[in-house]
Amino acid sequence: MSALHPSDAIASVPPAARINATALYFPVLTISLVILNVFTFLYHYTGSTLFNVISNFVGISLLAFSLYVIVQHGEAARTAKNFLVVASVLITLSVLFNFAVASTTDAIKYLAIYILYAAGRSCGGTIRSVEVRCLYLLAALPLAFLAVGTSKPFAIESFASEVFAYFPNANTGVLYFSALLFAAAQRYGDKVILVQLINAVLMNRMGAVAATVVAVLTWIMFPLRLQSLVLMVLIGLGGAFAYSFGAFDRVITTIDNLSYVGSIDPRSVATMSYGQLVRLTGSTDLSSFFRLIHWTNIWDLYTNNGLLTLLFGYGAGQTALLTYSALVPHNDYLRILAEYGIFNLIVFVLFLLHVRSELTSGATKVLFLVLCIYFFSENLLDNFTSMALYFAYAGRVAALGRQPETESTEAETGAGPIGARRAPSPSLVRSPRNQP
């Protein structure tokens, strides 16, 4: 008897089961993220690694379900799946080349963004009430953590003073709430842009404010029109007002510190006291200075280790072990270049450009550009929940932009909020072939 080919097994799945799997994907996604974050909450509150193991298991299970949805959905989302295949090959090559040192966990977290986007792109559909409730729960969890305790695992780290709830710093927290707003944009529209600005201001993150303003400006300017010019003048006046109150002091300090970067050995910086660094730079704000020195060190490690390192990087998760400051990159573009190689960086940038081009609403374009800007200064790929929300919902928005919205997806599939009534007629159910 001949062996059963995988494609035959997929074809044997009843069409209704395939439709239900894709229709339920986003409820499963958001409920899984709530469960994952509850265990993350407990891990940071108690310090028990058991909760961390359970949280990681939930994340892996969600990725496995996402892959199932992608495989069984037929020919839909072809470009997204092509990106996933190419990224899988290149990441695997990097891990194999650096097999003795590469972190499989870090490699999976990076690959996850391609998986989640392809799954979201395969499913499409409109946002359901159960998802919105989960988004509110996800927003409440870190705020509740602030009220009840501090992170035990982070208490022993060098960045303990920067921790926000169970995030390593407030910048990561800002982007977590930005991801929630991105997911909610399908329900609340352009109002989430204003909430994003409030989010950045309340968290006292001028970088997030600047990234949001740049993203809004980009959205306004292209295509250029009379209203664009008027708004640009108003924003310019607002920028001048903000400058008078010192809003751009960190940017100015960063530019001033560029003159020191090429002339200082990272090893000497690692041994300097805080007072010595203040006298050297002329500023008490050393964050940008340390980033520039750290990035220079990473660049030197990447470029001075031969052709194979240029192609495949020096290994996922190795930056903190190889650099003098013993820190992660604080720049996800540089992280992918140095740890995975030049080809992975090219695919990553092309992927981000593709996702941005597929977004259809102003709110999603603005918030996704905020993410792309923030990739320059943070370690966002480490935050699984934020990446899951951004890329899965980006896939959904892209899918909706490619299908006529003559009927509600909830009505078509009969899989709206849990317990909702099914479609009155099977004739309203789309063929999987016609779903993007």
Side-chain angles (χ1 to χ4, degrees):
M1 184 172 65
S2 61
L4 181 65
H5 192 273
S7 62
D8 297 329
I10 292 170
S12 67
V13 177
R18 297 188 206 176
I19 294 171
N20 286 335
T22 54
L24 290 173
Y25 177 72
F26 281 95
V28 170
L29 171 79
T30 49
I31 292 170
S32 298
L33 291 178
V34 169
I35 295 171
L36 182 152
N37 277 268
V38 166
F39 283 107
T40 300
F41 182 116
L42 294 172
Y43 166 59
H44 284 270
Y45 184 71
T46 66
S48 171
T49 55
L50 174 63
F51 293 122
N52 191 41
V53 170
I54 297 172
S55 175
N56 290 336
F57 175 77
V58 174
I60 293 295
S61 299
L62 177 58
L63 289 179
F65 179 62
S66 300
L67 285 170
Y68 167 75
V69 168
I70 294 167
V71 169
Q72 63 89 38
H73 197 65
E75 294 300 315
R78 184 172 299 174
T79 302
K81 292 201 287 188
N82 288 341
F83 270 111
L84 173 58
V85 170
V86 173
S88 298
V89 171
L90 292 176
I91 293 169
T92 300
L93 288 174
S94 175
V95 170
L96 290 176
F97 174 73
N98 299 284
F99 185 75
V101 296
S103 166
T104 305
T105 301
D106 280 32
I108 290 173
K109 283 192 286 189
Y110 170 41
L111 180 61
I113 65 172
Y114 297 97
I115 296 173
L116 292 159
Y117 178 75
R121 185 68 175 79
S122 297
C123 297
T126 55
I127 193 166
R128 300 167 174 84
S129 298
V130 65
E131 298 170 50
V132 176
R133 290 193 289 270
C134 287
L135 294 178
Y136 279 117
L137 284 172
L138 287 170
L141 280 169
L143 299 179
F145 189 87
L146 286 174
V148 301
T150 56
S151 171
K152 286 183 170 59
F154 285 161
I156 60 174
E157 299 289 348
S158 59
F159 53 81
S161 61
E162 302 175 13
V163 170
F164 173 81
Y166 43 77
F167 303 114
N169 54 57
N171 285 319
T172 309
V174 168
L175 262 293
Y176 173 83
F177 291 111
S178 299
L180 294 172
L181 292 171
F182 182 87
Q186 196 179 27
R187 172 66 63 91
Y188 298 111
D190 292 345
K191 292 189 287 292
V192 300
I193 298 175
L194 176 59
V195 181
Q196 163 63 12
L197 282 168
I198 295 172
N199 165 37
V201 171
L202 289 179
M203 297 282 281
N204 195 27
R205 298 290 97 182
M206 291 309 300
V209 174
T212 305
V213 170
V214 169
V216 171
L217 276 173
T218 304
W219 173 47
I220 290 170
M221 289 172 60
F222 302 102
L224 192 63
R225 51 199 183 277
L226 179 60
Q227 297 93 322
S228 304
L229 297 175
V230 173
L231 286 170
M232 287 169 60
V233 171
L234 292 175
I235 292 175
L237 292 173
F241 181 75
Y243 173 79
S244 67
F245 282 90
F248 302 110
D249 286 352
R250 173 170 283 191
V251 176
I252 295 170
T253 300
T254 302
I255 294 172
D256 291 341
N257 287 336
L258 286 172
S259 60
Y260 299 107
V261 172
S263 59
I264 297 179
D265 187 342
R267 287 172 292 186
S268 64
V269 173
T271 61
M272 285 184 180
S273 68
Y274 176 77
Q276 289 173 315
L277 289 169
V278 169
R279 287 191 293 273
L280 174 67
T281 62
S283 172
T284 56
D285 184 358
L286 300 176
S287 175
S288 58
F289 175 73
F290 272 115
R291 274 178 167 79
L292 293 171
I293 294 294
H294 187 44
W295 294 341
T296 302
N297 187 193
I298 294 170
W299 178 255
D300 288 341
L301 288 168
Y302 171 67
T303 56
N304 293 324
N305 280 289
L307 177 61
L308 290 178
T309 298
L310 292 175
L311 297 178
F312 303 112
Y314 51 62
Q318 293 305 294
T319 298
L321 302 176
L322 297 175
T323 54
Y324 292 113
S325 57
L327 295 172
V328 287
H330 287 282
N331 183 324
D332 281 321
Y333 297 106
L334 184 58
R335 174 207 293 256
I336 291 170
L337 173 64
E339 295 187 356
Y340 299 92
I342 184 64
F343 294 128
N344 269 291
L345 177 63
I346 292 170
V347 170
F348 180 61
V349 172
L350 291 175
F351 174 65
L352 294 181
L353 291 172
H354 167 73
V355 174
R356 176 64 164 69
S357 70
E358 292 282 285
L359 300 177
T360 53
S361 72
T364 54
K365 289 181 178 180
V366 167
L367 289 171
F368 192 80
L369 187 53
V370 169
L371 171 69
C372 294
I373 293 171
Y374 243 71
F375 273 141
F376 280 105
S377 64
E378 289 301 327
N379 308 293
L380 304 180
L381 292 176
D382 288 334
N383 192 301
F384 180 79
T385 299
S386 297
M387 296 301 96
L389 291 170
Y390 256 116
F391 286 96
Y393 276 86
R396 168 186 268 181
V397 173
L400 285 175
R402 294 292 182 267
Q403 70 181 29
E405 298 187 46
T406 56
E407 298 285 350
S408 166
T409 303
E410 293 185 10
E412 288 164 355
T413 61
I418 295 173
R421 64 181 177 84
R422 292 188 176 275
S425 169
S427 64
L428 291 177
V429 179
R430 289 175 189 249
S431 164
R433 179 177 300 179
N434 295 328
Q435 294 184 2

